[in-house]
Amino acid sequence: MDMKKMQRMSIIWGCFLVLLVALLTGFGFLYKSKSSDYKKLEEELVNRAKKYVDARFLYPEENKAVKITYEEMKEHGFIEELKKDDQTCDGYVIVKSNGTVFEYKGYVSCPKYTTKDYEK
């Protein structure tokens, strides 16, 4: 009789673990699909910042960084608005120099999403 109870418990725990993994995977895909629009917004901000830095020659010195804000780019006509659906967002781009290569990292802050490590 104890062997049958152990089999049932094993089956119950196995089903529980499969259900848990499926649930967490589903949440992961859901989060990824919702955040992909915001990632596109970050990319758009970076593309505009590249044009802005090129036009204004704002390249940082070696091993330094420059912060380009959304408001700054808007004032100079490089971007009109930073919106996702009806949400008005704010953001900036950090431009770093690593020798001969410039790295651009976009950060956005919207009512329903904020990029990791975003600082006001």
Side-chain angles (χ1 to χ4, degrees):
M1 196 73 156
D2 282 332
M3 191 60 104
K4 285 188 176 190
K5 283 185 180 182
M6 286 180 65
Q7 276 183 329
R8 285 186 206 146
M9 287 300 286
S10 296
I11 291 171
I12 290 170
W13 276 106
C15 291
F16 174 74
L17 291 176
V18 167
L19 182 63
L20 181 65
V21 168
L23 189 64
L24 290 174
T25 302
F27 280 131
F29 283 122
L30 183 64
Y31 175 76
K32 185 176 180 180
S33 70
K34 284 188 176 187
S35 66
S36 68
D37 290 340
Y38 296 103
K39 296 293 182 188
K40 289 177 185 172
L41 200 61
E42 290 171 8
E43 289 175 21
E44 178 64 23
L45 191 63
V46 166
N47 290 334
R48 300 298 178 133
K50 286 179 181 178
K51 292 177 183 175
Y52 180 73
V53 167
D54 285 344
R56 309 231 0 159
F57 298 103
L58 296 174
Y59 298 105
E61 296 176 15
E62 191 170 333
N63 297 322
K64 302 274 182 168
V66 174
K67 182 177 182 179
I68 310 294
T69 64
Y70 159 68
E71 289 297 325
E72 184 179 347
M73 288 187 282
K74 186 177 178 181
E75 284 178 16
H76 292 95
F78 283 86
I79 193 169
E80 291 180 22
E81 62 184 7
L82 195 60
K83 280 186 146 186
K84 199 271 182 205
D85 299 329
D86 292 335
Q87 303 175 54
T88 301
C89 304
D90 193 18
Y92 60 90
V93 175
I94 300 292
V95 184
K96 291 183 181 178
S97 172
N98 293 332
T100 58
V101 178
F102 295 103
E103 294 178 6
Y104 294 80
K105 174 69 176 142
Y107 298 88
V108 296
S109 176
C110 302
K112 295 182 181 178
Y113 174 86
T114 300
T115 306
K116 183 180 177 187
D117 298 329
Y118 178 89
E119 297 176 1
K120 280 195 167 190

